[in-house]
Structure formats: structure tokens, C-alpha cells
């Protein structure tokens, strides 16, 4: 390619790139050095935009700073000068438009308000609470039935033996045994005292 305004002799043996800037003006740029970073620095000097904010694209590919310049590619395709912009891809509006086309219907109306200005979530919660309170007696009855059915039958109760005559006989036997032990102890102590 020949550059308008540049003599053909000046392009021989040099790397020249067709640079399309942000306003779609085409410029022919001579690049000293054979790297993309040199082309980026030259484009920055021409446009006044800092080099870190510039993005260079040749065809459909972005040019990396570390890569060498491909002279054949530069001769065939222009290098487009673009800006690096912070942020993501966006698309929230497109997402809303596409969801509207699909006809997705909502069934969650809890955030809506009734004619009195109260949220439906609160109205529905109060109705559920009234139903729950109305069923309290039934729940208590079921709870008692369940407790009664879970109650395991234990051993039969022990029958009490109440006979006053038998109790008197036992008490007399205990008292007689106590008296016999006390008498034996007293006679043993007297015999021991007499022997000393």
C-alpha cells in the first residue's frame, strides 16, 4: 500500500501501519522497533491519550504489547485504535427485554399492597396465624392422645400389707432382740470388771 502524502522511498525498509483513530480518520504511522508496544506509544503520542488507556485491534484480534508486529498483517488490515473502558459487559436492559418476551408470569404478590395500604404478606400472615390459633384445641387433644399412647405400662403396683397385729409382733421381736443384746453386754462388762 502507498501512503497518501508520503513518498514511496520513505516507506522502503520501514514498518508502516495504517492506523484508524477514534474519529475514523486514517493515518499512516511509521513504527520504530518491531513490537506492538512501540506502535501503542506512537499512537499515544499522536492522539494525546495515555498509552495504558489505548487498545489496538487488527482485524478481529486485540494486539498484545509483548507480541512482535506482523508486517504481513499490517499490510493487509488497518489497526483500529480503541479505548479501554472499565466495567463489565452490561446487558441488564437486554435481560429485561428478553424476559418480557418469554412471558414469565410471577405468582409472588406478597410485596403488593391492598386497598388499605397494608402489604399482602402481612395480611396473609395474620390469616395463617388466626387459623393456627383456631386449631390449638385440636393440637392439644392430639398431643394428649399421643402422650397416652406412648405411656408404656410398667410393673404392676406393689400391694401394701397392712396388718396391725403383725406389725405389733415385729416391733416386740425387735425390742426383745435389743434388750437381749443390752443385757449380754452389761453382764459381759460386769464379769470383765470382776476379773480385773
Amino acid at each position: 500500500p502507498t501512503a497518501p502524502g508520503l513518498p514511496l522511498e520513505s516507506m522502503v525498509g520501514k514498518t508502516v501501519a495504517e492506523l484508524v483513530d477514534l474519529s475514523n480518520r486514517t493515518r499512516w504511522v511509521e513504527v520504530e522497533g518491531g513490537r506492538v508496544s512501540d506502535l501503542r506509544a506512537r499512537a499515544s503520542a499522536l492522539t494525546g491519550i495515555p498509552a495504558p488507556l489505548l487498545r489496538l485491534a487488527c482485524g478481529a484480534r486485540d494486539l498484545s504489547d509483548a507480541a512482535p508486529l506482523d508486517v504481513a498483517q499490517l499490510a493487509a488490515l488497518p489497526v483500529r485504535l480503541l479505548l479501554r473502558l472499565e466495567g463489565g459487559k452490561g446487558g441488564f436492559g437486554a435481560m429485561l427485554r428478553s424476559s418480557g418476551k418469554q412471558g414469565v408470569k410471577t405468582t409472588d404478590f406478597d410485596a403488593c399492597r391492598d386497598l388499605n395500604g397494608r402489604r399482602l404478606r402481612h395480611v396473609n400472615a395474620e390469616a395463617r396465624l388466626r387459623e393456627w390459633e383456631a386449631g390449638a384445641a385440636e393440637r392439644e387433644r392430639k398431643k394428649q392422645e399421643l402422650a397416652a399412647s406412648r405411656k408404656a405400662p410398667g410393673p404392676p403396683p406393689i400391694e401394701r400389707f397392712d396388718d396391725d397385729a403383725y406389725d405389733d409382733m415385729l416391733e416386740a421381736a425387735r425390742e426383745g432382740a435389743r434388750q437381749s443384746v443390752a443385757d449380754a453386754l452389761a453382764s459381759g462388762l460386769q464379769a470383765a470388771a470382776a476379773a480385773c
Side-chain angles (χ1 to χ4, degrees):
T2 60
L6 288 177
L8 189 59
E9 310 80 56
S10 67
M11 293 177 22
V12 175
K14 296 180 181 176
T15 305
V16 178
E18 182 182 359
L19 186 67
V20 180
D21 65 7
L22 296 171
S23 59
N24 276 341
R25 288 186 310 191
T26 302
R27 297 181 186 185
W28 291 91
V29 178
E30 180 182 341
V31 182
E32 292 94 12
R35 302 201 97 30
V36 174
S37 58
D38 299 328
L39 179 59
R40 185 185 311 276
R42 182 79 172 119
S44 174
L46 284 174
T47 61
I49 299 171
L53 297 179
L54 291 177
R55 184 168 61 103
L56 303 177
C58 187
R61 290 183 0 189
D62 281 350
L63 298 178
S64 170
D65 278 345
L69 284 174
D70 184 5
V71 178
Q73 188 178 15
L74 288 178
L77 296 169
V79 176
R80 295 197 67 72
L81 184 63
L82 305 168
L83 289 176
R84 289 189 190 277
L85 298 176
E86 298 291 328
K89 68 181 186 77
F92 186 69
M95 184 186 71
L96 289 177
R97 282 191 298 277
S98 68
S99 69
K101 291 176 187 174
Q102 293 172 355
V104 177
K105 302 291 182 196
T106 183
T107 58
D108 184 17
F109 295 105
D110 283 345
C112 297
R113 296 182 183 268
D114 64 0
L115 294 176
N116 294 328
R118 297 175 59 205
R119 292 218 184 260
L120 292 180
R121 164 183 327 122
H122 302 303
V123 174
N124 294 338
E126 285 179 12
R128 285 193 306 269
L129 187 60
R130 281 193 297 271
E131 290 174 13
W132 183 79
E133 287 174 348
E138 180 66 22
R139 282 193 309 277
E140 185 63 30
R141 187 187 58 77
K142 285 184 180 179
K143 184 177 174 182
Q144 289 174 354
E145 287 177 3
L146 183 64
S149 68
R150 284 186 181 169
K151 191 175 183 182
I158 299 172
E159 293 183 20
R160 286 203 38 100
F161 181 71
D162 289 332
D163 186 8
D164 292 333
Y166 180 72
D167 287 341
D168 291 341
M169 183 200 61
L170 280 180
E171 187 59 38
R174 284 187 199 117
E175 188 58 38
R178 255 190 241 115
Q179 190 61 40
S180 299
V181 170
D183 290 343
L185 186 62
S187 66
L189 285 175
Q190 286 176 356
C196 288

